[in-house]
Amino acid sequence: ILTQVHGQGGVKFQNWAKTYGSSPELYFQPTSVEEIREILDMARQRNKRVKVVGGGHSPSDIACTDDFMIQMEKMNRVLKVDKEKQQVTVEGGIFLTDLNVELSKHGLALANLGAVSEVAAAGVIGTGTHNTGIKHGILPTQVVGLSLLTASGDILECSESVNADIFQAARLHLGCLGVVLTVTFQCVPQFHLHEVAFPSTLTEVLDHLDDHLKRSQYFRFLWFPHSENVSVIYQDPTNKAGWRKLQSLMTIIFLCLALQRPSSSANWFWDYAVGYYLLEFLLWISTFVPRLVCWINRFFFWLLFSSRVENINVSYKIFNYECRFKQHVQDWAIPIEKTKEALLELKAALENNPKMVAHYPVEVRFARGDDIWLSPCFQRDSCYMNIIMYRPYGKNVPRLNYWLTYEGIMKKYGGRPHWAKAHSCTRKDFEKMYPAFPKFCSVREKLDPTGMFLNTYLEKVFY
């Protein structure tokens, strides 16, 4: 029976950072597989392209289209929890924010998460979201199965044992193989994390990188450009009993403090008044006086990062943090053994070019190698080096020199760009970077021969 789905006209799509947007001819929010099939039929008849979008957090134009857009947030159910295998099967549109809460009700958790959870399950694997931890892969490595609705209307079940080739392509699918209907994640028992952040120097961290990687399961560091300053962050599982004791102790401390001053307003002061409003104002002023950026980076390190801070909470609350600023961002993965050379070269480039300014922080994270065809960590342990330029009050700060310098260094050391972030690579680059690129292309051409799921971003990748 045809339910005749209705698309909305006049919807304007914008990504979270407001760096890209598009005006799809029709915007759909389907509630069933039948409805998605109908949308694809309609697209085929009218010769339209289709783009599926989740939380819209990708800072690039990977989700933009002027044809049909499918927003999946109404297909967000948890379909099955297998406690014995510690696996969960969900619809592709579920946001990780909701999944984290659902999993904790069953005493389960995802072993690793990115900074943001307002992202859909199918989208997280679409662009290769990652966090840090050399024993942990990017988020798609936690996927053990998925189902895909192809351009022709067929549903393919994919796993290591069924449609194995399509599985290795679809675990990082770029939204170009079909509509991901369901995802099965491998989970772990719920756990708490103990986070410790402490100041260090770039020289110290780079000279003892192996020690840091051994010492903490989820180790990363923030480097403050135009300085030697580094904030080292260790996150490690901790037992719950210790957490309970600490919790009751903290409650007593907080009660004592509350009698002296409202602690929530103190947190608000540091987090927002200083860490957000003051920073945004100073960055805006620095657009007129770029030399100020060096001073701002040092001042904020001294203000917010120069003392040791500890925190214990359930894992997803430590992994996730609030991204308050609209920003331009690049994030490339290089072979882990090139970390020191690449960072020192970036530092030297900034020192030798006083006109080039870089906002803090450069975030440095690590991930285990994998076998996912388009994974930036394909067959090698990797270091991700994330650079940002904030947009104070929505204003663009000149960044081209910094961007091109950074990209040049990343390419020199065999880097591969994060698929969701800004980059200037083309098919020629990807053919060099990814040994399995031709394999992915042949799967894509087989599943979507007419290019229904392509858009401007993907044409640069494949043509």
Side-chain angles (χ1 to χ4, degrees):
I1 309 159
L2 276 188
T3 51
Q4 204 48 54
V5 289
H6 291 291
Q8 256 178 299
V11 172
K12 176 112 176 78
F13 165 76
Q14 266 205 318
N15 66 357
W16 176 83
K18 295 195 168 28
T19 46
Y20 290 95
S22 64
S23 302
E25 186 182 315
L26 288 175
Y27 178 85
F28 299 90
Q29 286 191 305
T31 56
S32 68
V33 178
E34 285 65 43
E35 285 182 28
I36 301 175
R37 265 211 185 96
E38 274 183 52
I39 298 164
L40 299 189
D41 284 343
M42 197 193 300
R44 205 176 302 110
Q45 285 156 18
R46 298 197 198 172
N47 203 14
K48 296 289 179 191
R49 289 179 163 184
V50 176
K51 208 73 234 118
V52 184
V53 63
H57 263 271
S58 295
S60 66
D61 54 343
I62 192 167
C64 294
T65 184
D66 291 331
D67 287 3
F68 290 2
M69 183 174 276
I70 300 179
Q71 211 287 335
M72 292 285 280
E73 70 177 23
K74 290 185 177 166
M75 297 186 67
N76 61 356
R77 291 172 305 159
V78 174
L79 300 172
K80 184 184 176 195
V81 178
D82 185 330
K83 284 208 159 164
E84 214 165 285
K85 289 184 177 167
Q86 299 183 341
Q87 290 176 356
V88 62
T89 302
V90 295
E91 288 184 310
I94 192 170
F95 274 28
L96 293 192
T97 13
D98 301 323
L99 179 58
N100 292 334
V101 174
E102 280 302 311
L103 285 177
S104 67
K105 289 178 190 168
H106 294 278
L108 295 172
L110 290 170
N112 209 349
L113 286 166
V116 179
S117 277
E118 284 79 41
V119 286
V124 162
I125 67 172
T127 56
T129 301
H130 69 96
N131 181 21
T132 193
I134 198 56
K135 289 194 170 74
H136 298 273
I138 62 173
L139 267 59
T141 59
Q142 300 175 72
V143 174
V144 290
L146 54 88
S147 63
L148 193 64
L149 179 66
T150 64
S152 60
D154 299 323
I155 294 179
L156 300 178
E157 297 293 336
C158 308
S159 66
E160 296 275 4
S161 51
V162 185
N163 290 320
D165 266 14
I166 296 174
F167 181 61
Q168 290 306 14
R171 284 209 281 175
L172 205 162
H173 55 74
L174 301 184
C176 68
L177 304 178
V179 182
V180 175
L181 299 174
T182 67
V183 182
T184 302
F185 288 103
Q186 181 60 53
C187 304
V188 296
Q190 187 177 13
F191 62 105
H192 284 71
L193 279 174
H194 179 200
E195 178 179 68
V196 183
F198 57 92
S200 185
T201 64
L202 191 61
T203 309
E204 188 283 324
V205 173
L206 292 178
D207 287 350
H208 301 101
L209 199 55
D210 284 349
D211 296 342
H212 286 289
L213 285 161
K214 285 191 190 99
R215 210 170 291 159
S216 173
Q217 197 177 134
Y218 302 96
F219 154 68
R220 65 191 162 105
F221 65 92
L222 310 176
W223 169 55
F224 289 67
H226 310 293
S227 77
E228 261 283 306
N229 297 331
V230 162
S231 175
V232 173
I233 298 153
Y234 286 173
Q235 294 170 340
D236 289 285
T238 180
N239 70 13
K240 233 169 164 179
W243 154 243
R244 285 267 154 75
K245 277 180 207 153
L246 190 75
Q247 212 174 18
S248 38
L249 184 66
M250 293 296 272
T251 312
I252 295 163
I253 293 169
F254 276 131
L255 282 172
C256 297
L257 285 171
L259 298 172
Q260 295 166 38
R261 62 159 201 252
S263 73
S264 61
S265 64
N267 288 345
W268 183 92
F269 175 76
W270 289 107
D271 282 0
Y272 279 91
V274 174
Y276 183 72
Y277 296 111
L278 177 63
L279 178 59
E280 185 165 37
F281 177 65
L282 291 175
L283 289 173
W284 180 76
I285 290 191
S286 78
T287 61
F288 305 101
V289 192
R291 283 197 311 277
L292 282 178
V293 170
C294 311
W295 176 83
I296 292 168
N297 287 0
R298 287 172 185 170
F299 174 63
F300 274 88
F301 177 81
W302 170 77
L303 204 60
L304 299 176
F305 297 90
S306 59
S307 55
R308 185 185 170 93
V309 179
E310 296 195 42
N311 190 7
I312 292 183
N313 214 326
V314 67
S315 59
Y316 67 86
K317 290 188 176 169
I318 296 282
F319 285 140
N320 288 167
Y321 50 87
E322 197 182 346
C323 292
R324 298 188 187 125
F325 277 106
K326 304 300 183 219
Q327 52 190 244
H328 287 288
V329 51
Q330 284 220 56
D331 191 15
W332 285 53
I334 56 173
I336 195 165
E337 59 277 8
K338 304 286 186 196
T339 306
K340 182 175 178 176
E341 286 165 84
L343 250 181
L344 290 179
E345 195 163 321
L346 185 63
K347 183 172 189 263
L350 287 168
E351 280 164 7
N352 298 333
N353 190 346
K355 285 202 172 128
M356 189 159 65
V357 299
H359 292 164
Y360 84 81
V362 170
E363 186 177 18
V364 184
R365 292 173 285 180
F366 304 89
R368 201 186 63 214
D370 59 53
D371 287 321
I372 299 169
W373 291 351
L374 290 191
S375 164
C377 304
F378 182 72
Q379 293 182 344
R380 67 186 196 201
D381 290 350
S382 301
C383 163
Y384 276 94
M385 220 167 275
N386 183 77
I387 66 165
I388 48 179
M389 287 300 273
Y390 295 121
R391 299 170 58 227
Y393 310 120
K395 183 176 180 180
N396 278 328
V397 180
R399 64 178 196 282
L400 194 63
N401 277 351
Y402 181 34
W403 246 226
L404 293 174
T405 302
Y406 164 86
E407 268 201 351
I409 295 168
M410 294 295 105
K411 279 184 177 168
K412 175 180 166 183
Y413 291 106
R416 297 167 180 155
H418 189 317
W419 290 104
K421 314 260 168 105
H423 62 77
S424 61
C425 300
T426 59
R427 177 167 179 146
K428 273 205 180 88
D429 297 306
F430 295 126
E431 282 172 342
K432 278 196 210 103
M433 293 168 180
Y434 288 101
F437 193 74
K439 279 190 191 171
F440 186 94
C441 291
S442 69
V443 166
R444 188 196 73 75
E445 282 153 24
K446 196 169 77 195
L447 295 182
D448 184 20
T450 63
M452 180 189 280
F453 296 108
L454 292 180
N455 63 358
T456 313
Y457 174 99
L458 291 169
E459 279 175 346
K460 283 183 218 142
V461 174
F462 295 113
Y463 293 107

